[in-house]
Amino acid sequence: MRGTVYKSTGSWYTVKSIDGDFYECRIKGKFRIKGIKSTNPIAVGDDVLFELEKKGDETIGVIHEIRERKNYIIRKSVNLSKQTHIIAVNLDQVFLMVTLNNPTTFTSFIDRFLVTAEAYEIPAILLFNKIDAYNEEELAEINFLMKTYEAIGYKCISISAKEGKGVEEVKAMMMDKTSMFSGHSGVGKSTLVNSIEPGLHLKTAEISEQHLQGQHTTTFAEMYDLSFGAQIIDTPGIRGFGIVDMEKEEIGDYFPEFFELKSECKFNNCMHIDEPKCAVKDALDENKLTWSRYRSYVQMVNGEDENYRVDIYKE
């Protein structure tokens, strides 16, 4: 039988068959997928082949093959730095939810997420949430950030999941697609999903007053079918986003605005750091590129993963 993984809890997988029935499945033996050292061999969104087995009174599925993946989004595992965690696979697009405060989403986090999406060729959309809660100064900062990312070519939408502002625009972009929602805990992912599809009743996170961080409400990624012909994958809140499996030389190619200028650099293998006659550094000096993006790039090239939660946006 063939189906799609809708939920993974580490050892059990909920699979929806082509006929629309759900089965609880385990995996047969150990999977090794193209050398990815992942903590989870199978992820939500995987297209799998499985067979049913009778165990006493119950029927369980046994997954014996993962079909080729269109793409996946991956990050470093929280505790094991050498290991990686595949968040979801076979995505049409990813929405990254961003909040200015309660909790703060730093540009270094946004840039790491976007670089990973670029590397795996997944279109990314930025959703700036909680616009109902910002004062004029904060709204000006949101507008600046939106203009920054729109100039690079990313779609940005300002929304209020709580009040339903911008929700219809998000919904229209989701039609007939599998979308993943990501962001820090407390940015309002579950509130937005409930606003898009009220019948789902996803748990929403309370912001912890003590640390102004969201409480984790989603423990595992899970896919849901929506009533208007779309699928969403809701993911656990991500605190940090370590990039994976990228050579230093290729990171700049995943910054579209740097890649565009690359052919104008004196050296075709220019790293845009110490080299003379670098078109990227010239553009920075002329304020044609954003310094926060360049700082994110330098951090990634230098492998400063331990600093990816640091605010590098404010000087």
Side-chain angles (χ1 to χ4, degrees), residues 38-289:
S38 165
T39 54
N40 57 328
I42 295 177
V44 170
D46 260 323
D47 182 2
V48 296
L49 299 180
F50 66 104
E51 51 203 30
L52 298 179
E53 282 184 4
K54 270 264 189 223
K55 288 256 172 115
D57 292 339
E58 59 174 352
T59 302
I60 65 157
V62 179
I63 297 168
H64 56 84
E65 191 184 325
I66 304 171
R67 292 171 63 85
E68 194 176 345
R69 292 168 167 167
K70 175 171 81 174
N71 56 37
Y72 53 88
I73 198 144
I74 189 169
R75 70 184 184 107
K76 282 196 177 167
S77 242
V78 184
N79 302 321
L80 310 161
S81 60
K82 296 250 166 84
Q83 290 238 274
T84 60
H85 180 78
I86 297 169
I87 302 170
V89 306
N90 299 330
L91 296 159
D92 294 314
Q93 59 193 4
V94 290
F95 290 93
L96 180 66
M97 290 187 71
V98 174
T99 45
L100 202 58
N101 46 44
N102 286 0
T104 305
T105 309
F106 297 124
T107 49
S108 51
F109 176 85
I110 298 171
D111 296 335
R112 283 170 183 278
F113 190 92
L114 293 176
V115 160
T116 300
E118 288 286 341
Y120 295 100
E121 297 180 1
I122 306 166
I125 300 112
L126 298 178
L127 302 179
F128 291 84
N129 192 21
K130 305 188 183 180
I131 53 158
D132 56 295
Y134 299 133
N135 61 33
E136 270 185 49
E137 199 179 313
E138 290 166 335
L139 282 172
E141 197 165 338
I142 287 286
N143 283 332
F144 172 75
L145 281 173
M146 286 179 70
K147 283 190 176 130
T148 297
Y149 287 102
E150 280 169 345
I152 300 162
Y154 291 106
K155 173 84 176 162
C156 297
I157 307 173
S158 60
I159 63 167
S160 167
K162 201 173 169 185
E163 297 190 353
K165 286 178 189 163
V167 170
E168 286 306 311
E169 192 178 347
V170 176
K171 213 167 159 177
M173 292 190 74
M174 294 171 65
M175 293 285 280
D176 303 319
K177 289 181 177 167
T178 299
S179 308
M180 183 181 101
F181 283 77
S182 197
H184 292 314
S185 293
V187 290
K189 291 190 305 295
S190 301
T191 305
L192 175 63
V193 174
N194 287 335
S195 187
I196 287 166
E197 187 79 292
L200 277 182
H201 305 302
L202 294 190
K203 278 192 207 159
T204 53
E206 291 299 316
I207 294 287
S208 146
E209 288 297 326
Q210 198 179 353
H211 300 296
L212 292 178
Q213 283 196 329
Q215 306 296 322
H216 290 276
T217 51
T218 314
T219 330
F220 302 103
E222 186 165 1
M223 177 145 44
Y224 299 93
D225 292 323
L226 305 184
S227 58
F228 55 94
Q231 273 91 30
I232 62 144
I233 296 175
D234 187 31
T235 60
I238 297 170
R239 285 213 176 93
F241 204 93
I243 57 170
V244 175
D245 288 344
M246 283 181 210
E247 298 299 326
K248 288 182 179 184
E249 294 73 24
E250 64 180 316
I251 294 171
D253 294 352
Y254 303 132
F255 283 74
E257 70 275 42
F258 297 0
F259 184 66
E260 212 174 294
L261 294 170
K262 191 178 177 179
S263 61
E264 295 171 35
C265 293
K266 182 181 179 183
F267 299 105
N268 60 7
N269 60 347
C270 185
M271 291 288 290
H272 320 307
I273 294 177
D274 299 320
E275 297 86 350
K277 295 186 180 169
C278 166
V280 168
K281 286 195 295 179
D282 290 346
L284 271 171
D285 291 339
E286 292 162 21
N287 288 323
K288 289 177 181 169
L289 295 178

Side-chain angles (χ1 to χ4, degrees), residues 15-61:
V15 176
K16 183 184 181 184
S17 72
I18 286 175
D19 298 331
D21 298 315
F22 285 90
Y23 298 94
E24 291 303 307
C25 299
R26 285 186 176 277
I27 57 175
K28 189 175 186 176
K30 285 190 174 173
F31 279 97
R32 299 220 181 282
I33 304 166
K34 290 186 183 170
I36 300 168
K37 287 180 186 159
S38 165
T39 54
N40 57 328
I42 295 177
V44 170
D46 260 323
D47 182 2
V48 296
L49 299 180
F50 66 104
E51 51 203 30
L52 298 179
E53 282 184 4
K54 270 264 189 223
K55 288 256 172 115
D57 292 339
E58 59 174 352
T59 302
I60 65 157

Side-chain angles (χ1 to χ4, degrees), residues 278-310:
C278 166
V280 168
K281 286 195 295 179
D282 290 346
L284 271 171
D285 291 339
E286 292 162 21
N287 288 323
K288 289 177 181 169
L289 295 178
T290 313
W291 277 98
S292 65
R293 290 275 289 170
Y294 183 69
R295 282 196 293 269
S296 293
Y297 166 72
V298 172
Q299 270 192 341
M300 290 182 216
V301 169
N302 290 338
E304 292 173 33
D305 267 0
E306 67 277 11
N307 294 331
Y308 59 64
R309 294 179 200 129
V310 173

